[in-house]
């Protein structure tokens, strides 16, 4: 009985799913001029600055990519 009722509800489109338009708490809380004036600085992300270990990992990843590209080109 439950299976038949569930099938009927699915065929009747009672379960229509979530909203088609999503809302943002930031957009609802602030006026558009505040959002446009917001400056996103990648070095100061949410008050956290990139430390020396993060810089080292970034340089290491670039170095590994360079080594891989050189090996592919020159063997």
């Amino acid at each position: 009985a439950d299976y038949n009722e569930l099938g009927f509800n699915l065929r009747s489109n009672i379960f229509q799913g979530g909203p088609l338009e999503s809302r943002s708490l930031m957009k609802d809380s602030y006026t558009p001029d505040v959002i446009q004036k917001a400056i996103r600085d990648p070095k100061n992300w949410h008050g956290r600055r990139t430390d020396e270990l993060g810089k080292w990992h970034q340089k290491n990843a670039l170095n590994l990519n360079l080594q891989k590209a050189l090996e592919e080109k020159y063997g």
Side-chain angles (χ1 to χ4, degrees), residues 1 4-6 12 20 24 34 43-45 47 49 52 54 57-58 60 64 66 72 74-75:
N4 289 332
E5 185 178 340
L6 179 64
S12 301
L20 296 176
S24 169
V34 173
K43 293 182 180 176
N44 189 5
W45 184 73
R49 294 189 179 275
E52 295 299 320
H57 279 290
Q58 189 176 16
N60 187 34
L64 290 174
L66 177 64
E72 288 177 358
Y74 296 112

Side-chain angles (χ1 to χ4, degrees), residues 24-71:
S24 169
L25 180 62
M26 182 177 173
K27 289 181 180 177
D28 289 343
S29 302
Y30 298 103
T31 57
D33 61 327
V34 173
I35 296 172
Q36 290 172 356
K37 290 179 185 175
I39 299 171
R40 292 180 178 93
D41 185 12
K43 293 182 180 176
N44 189 5
W45 184 73
H46 289 288
R48 298 184 187 99
R49 294 189 179 275
T50 305
D51 59 351
E52 295 299 320
L53 183 61
K55 291 178 185 176
W56 181 86
H57 279 290
Q58 189 176 16
K59 289 180 182 177
N60 187 34
L62 289 173
N63 186 26
L64 290 174
N65 289 339
L66 177 64
Q67 293 295 327
K68 184 177 177 182
L70 288 173
E71 286 179 7

